[in-house]
Amino acid sequence: MGLGSPLVAEYLNKKYGTKFPISPGGCNALTTKAFVQPDGAMFPCQELTEHFTTRGGKKIAIPRQSVLESSAKDIWESKLYNGLLSAFFKPDALKNYVPCNQCKYLGSICWPCPIPSLRGDRLVMHNCLLTMKKVKEEGIELNDKVQISCQDVINRASSDPPFRTEIVVSTDKIIKFFGYQMDTKDMRQIDNLTGMMKQDIRSRLKNFCTKHAEKTSKDENVNKIIIENN
């Protein structure tokens, strides 16, 4: 059972010796879940359908993309979704999120509602704010790192294209950037998995280059014959 906030789970575990899982919290729109209407139209969430209203009241239309006409994967990885995801996680986007802007879990396994960020509004997570206050008052020391498993990384990579690319290209760098901490066994599994993916990419590139070279060679031979015959 998750508590909705990994910070609260860690606090309870530290203070009372409970064993609540440090599981993903917050909103999973743009990360692991989408909203599909009865006619098949897919949107980032039920609050972002048809249009998005900015802080100034301007309405920005959100294109209707149907899972009956395109695959959910293609819609999920479209410019619209990647653009919203990038806007949400840009460095200064979450500065008005309290106390998220001070929390190690932000952007690693916890994502608050992205709508205030997209509008430039302030968001206060009162439960987490109270938890941080208690941690400070009671002198409880929380871990600096975010403990995650290999499956947690796979789950995030499956729904977050930018993260998926980074975890394959620069595994150690992205693990350090998000403050992740993994057991040796899980880290070895990630290394093996990314190694296999890199090998597959190299193989595909090699095959592509070989086929392209063969086609180029054939085209050159055809052109040579045409020139000779003329």
Side-chain angles (χ1 to χ4, degrees), residues 3-27:
L3 301 183
S5 167
L7 178 66
V8 173
E10 185 180 3
Y11 167 77
L12 293 175
N13 291 345
K14 286 282 185 177
K15 183 173 182 178
Y16 300 105
T18 53
K19 296 183 179 179
F20 290 109
I22 308 298
S23 55
C27 173

Side-chain angles (χ1 to χ4, degrees), residues 50-119:
E50 310 299 342
H51 64 267
F52 168 68
T53 305
T54 66
R55 189 176 188 181
K58 181 180 179 181
K59 291 185 177 182
I60 300 176
I62 296 179
R64 293 180 65 84
Q65 300 178 85
S66 175
V67 295
L68 304 179
E69 299 172 357
S70 303
S71 71
K73 180 177 181 296
D74 288 341
I75 298 175
W76 188 265
E77 297 182 355
S78 66
K79 289 184 178 180
L80 170 64
Y81 280 73
N82 282 330
L84 289 172
L85 192 64
S86 298
F88 178 43
F89 285 113
K90 65 182 180 181
D92 63 340
L94 304 172
K95 62 184 179 182
N96 293 326
Y97 280 40
V98 180
C100 310
N101 51 15
Q102 306 171 43
C103 185
K104 64 183 179 180
Y105 291 113
L106 177 64
S108 57
I109 62 170
C110 190
W111 303 270
C113 174
I115 294 178
S117 170
L118 298 174
R119 287 194 180 122

Side-chain angles (χ1 to χ4, degrees), residues 3 6 12 21 46 49 84 92 160 200 221 226:
L3 301 183
L12 293 175
Q46 59 184 353
T49 58
L84 289 172
D92 63 340
D160 185 342
D200 180 62
N221 289 335
I226 293 174

Side-chain angles (χ1 to χ4, degrees), residues 3-9 11 25-26 98-100 103 105 110 112 124-135 142:
L3 301 183
S5 167
L7 178 66
V8 173
Y11 167 77
V98 180
C100 310
C103 185
Y105 291 113
C110 190
V124 178
M125 304 296 290
H126 294 284
N127 193 39
C128 292
L129 191 62
L130 176 61
T131 302
M132 280 195 171
K133 182 180 178 182
K134 283 185 169 293
V135 167
L142 302 182

